[in-house]
Amino acid sequence: MDRALIQAELQTIFHDVLRAPGFVPTPEMETGAHPNWTSIANVEILLSAEELWGFEFSSADIDGVRSFGDLIDAVAAKLG
Amino acid sequence: MTNLLELVRGFKDDLHRGRGLLDHAKFDEAQALLAKYDGLFPKDADLALLRARLAFGQQDFEAASALFAKVLALDPFNVLAIGMQAHSLTKIGQRDAALTLLESARAAKPDDNTLLEYYLPQVLTQRGLPEAIAVLRSEYQRRGSNNKPTAAAEIVRQKALSLFTMDEVRAADPDDLLMLVGDVATDGYNLRSMYAAFEPIGCNCEFGFAQRHRGVEPLALFRWTGVTPANLIRMLDCNLDGYEDPKIYKIDNLTGREYMLVESLFDTLTHTGVSTSDLPADEFLDRVTRRQGFLKRKFLQDAAEGKKIFVYKADHVLGEEEMSALEAQLTRLGVRRILFVQLDKSRPGGTFEVTAEKRAMGYLSQVQPNTKFDEWDRIVVAAHDHFLGRGAIG
């Protein structure tokens, strides 16, 4: 899948999970860049991505995600 | 007269009960209780504070702001009301008013640490990290050694590390008020990546805070969880079977600020880091139990892969029986690297020794609430070098 499409889908997930429809995450942003972007939100974001694309992140995938850009990379790698 | 006395006595009891209901996020019950006093005791600051807290808990921040203003008209230096009013004002977009309120209060009570703890995060998010550091520096210079604002510094450190990179924080903090110097270790690693290689399994949150202190926020099942050794062994023995079942969880607000997750199968208690004002209790419970299933899966996978160093920290000198039982269960799940860390005043804090092929020990001279992060750093570096560094066991 095209990286831009992944980014757009993830942005929708962020809007839903963070309840922040106007928030535009950029690749370098990390947890805390929005007040609702907490570690608990991170779990929900990862779960939502798993449900949307039908795969499971490995522990190493999860540990490697620190920023929004890392998450795009992790999804892109999963989708091949 | 009797009736009046009974009314007053009942009122005080209800205030106490109302505080408890709000602390436990039982907003509907609190609302019903406070409704009894609609139109009564208009000058009672305690009642006004409960009404304001109720509105805040129900996330009606416009109403909360108006009600906190009433509290402050009755009790101008109520620090809780000042702090929560600042939060309310921020939530409704009146950020300047929030800062002005806190600055006025601090002008009247310059040595109040709680006010400083409310003030600095506002400065950080509204005026930037350099300004927050400048305020902190000024406080350190102004105060004596008996009243250092260390808790406020910790709040700034946590918020700064969640918003900025380590390099950005260091650049803004040349005097190292946030105590970040020494982060870079040898062999091309830094402490942030070293701390991320560890998986905490008990007995409380101290290692989770040590990770946070070094700017790493890994997702881990037991990072903020308290569990007794016996229950931990029981959990591991059954591969955490049933730990994802939503029916075993309820939430509580024991601290008055944060939802706590109370679990009944293995009697664990977990910090959630989520404020009771952020979302309703029922919605939060749904979300957090979903999280437990995800983190359980990750925990078992980490154990099976055998790459991480599992850290068991105890506030007492560990016995061989306790360590062996834990090691047996962890090894059965696939863990190959175990670090036991104990409070032991008979040894120098921060020391480390290898005691078996898969086992190492670390020693602390102090534990929570007097955590010595430099001791944790030395133990983590030594354990990382031993288990994962050059020449480490496979």
Side-chain angles (χ1 to χ4, degrees), chain B residues 49-207:
Chain B
L49 181 60
L50 292 190
R51 288 194 175 114
R53 285 184 58 194
L54 175 62
F56 190 91
Q58 292 173 324
Q59 302 191 62
D60 184 349
F61 299 111
E62 293 274 1
S65 178
L67 289 164
F68 280 122
K70 281 187 185 175
V71 176
L72 293 172
L74 296 165
D75 183 5
F77 295 110
N78 185 312
V79 173
L80 176 62
I82 292 167
M84 293 188 78
Q85 173 66 314
H87 278 305
S88 303
L89 290 167
T90 304
K91 291 277 189 184
I92 61 177
Q94 296 185 29
R95 292 168 175 270
D96 289 345
L99 265 180
T100 302
L101 172 68
L102 289 165
E103 284 171 346
S104 299
R106 276 179 35 78
K109 299 180 82 171
D111 293 329
D112 190 297
N113 282 326
T114 307
L115 278 176
L116 183 63
E117 289 158 25
Y118 284 123
Y119 178 58
L120 277 170
Q122 293 273 352
V123 173
L124 175 57
T125 51
Q126 293 189 51
R127 293 179 182 162
L129 182 57
E131 182 72 19
I133 296 285
V135 173
L136 198 55
R137 183 184 301 111
S138 158
E139 292 295 323
Y140 268 104
Q141 289 169 348
R142 193 177 61 76
R143 295 172 184 224
S145 57
N146 291 332
N147 190 25
K148 285 184 179 173
T150 49
E154 180 64 25
I155 288 169
V156 173
R157 184 202 351 266
Q158 289 176 17
K159 198 159 188 74
L161 289 173
S162 73
L163 294 173
F164 306 99
T165 66
M166 185 72 80
D167 287 343
E168 288 169 332
V169 178
R170 278 207 191 119
D173 182 22
D175 300 329
D176 196 32
L177 296 174
L178 303 183
M179 295 175 285
L180 294 164
V181 166
D183 177 67
V184 176
T186 55
D187 291 344
Y189 293 107
N190 62 45
L191 280 175
R192 189 177 186 187
S193 64
M194 283 187 176
Y195 269 97
F198 290 77
E199 179 90 11
I201 50 170
C203 61
N204 58 25
C205 310
E206 180 157 353
F207 189 74

Side-chain angles (χ1 to χ4, degrees), chain B residues 284-301:
Chain B
F284 177 69
L285 185 60
D286 288 343
R287 291 172 65 169
V288 78
T289 51
R290 197 165 165 246
R291 176 177 74 162
Q292 292 302 87
F294 180 90
L295 292 177
K296 172 187 162 181
R297 185 183 94 204
K298 183 176 185 302
F299 175 84
L300 291 173
Q301 195 172 45

Side-chain angles (χ1 to χ4, degrees), chain A residues 11-25:
Chain A
Q11 190 165 309
T12 303
I13 289 173
F14 269 66
H15 291 168
D16 292 344
V17 172
L18 305 185
R19 293 175 295 161
F23 179 56
V24 182

Side-chain angles (χ1 to χ4, degrees), chain A residues 17 19 30-33 39-44 46-48 50-51 56-60 62-63 66, chain B residues 162-163 192-193 196 216 219 274 278-279 283-284 287-288 290-291 294-295 297-298 301-302 305 308:
Chain A
V17 172
R19 293 175 295 161
E30 295 189 14
T31 305
S39 63
I40 187 172
N42 276 336
V43 174
E44 292 176 40
L46 293 166
L47 275 167
S48 298
E50 287 184 344
E51 286 165 4
E56 278 194 358
F57 287 113
S58 70
S59 177
I62 296 164
D63 288 338
R66 285 184 178 169
Chain B
S162 73
L163 294 173
R192 189 177 186 187
S193 64
V216 57
L219 298 176
V274 176
D278 285 349
L279 73 172
E283 183 185 338
F284 177 69
R287 291 172 65 169
V288 78
R290 197 165 165 246
R291 176 177 74 162
F294 180 90
L295 292 177
R297 185 183 94 204
K298 183 176 185 302
Q301 195 172 45
D302 279 329
E305 286 176 357
K308 286 199 171 169

Side-chain angles (χ1 to χ4, degrees), chain B residues 9 16 70 78 140 181 187 231 245 281 363 384:
Chain B
R9 192 175 297 125
H16 180 72
K70 281 187 185 175
N78 185 312
Y140 268 104
V181 166
D187 291 344
N231 282 329
D245 184 350
Y363 303 97
H384 189 279

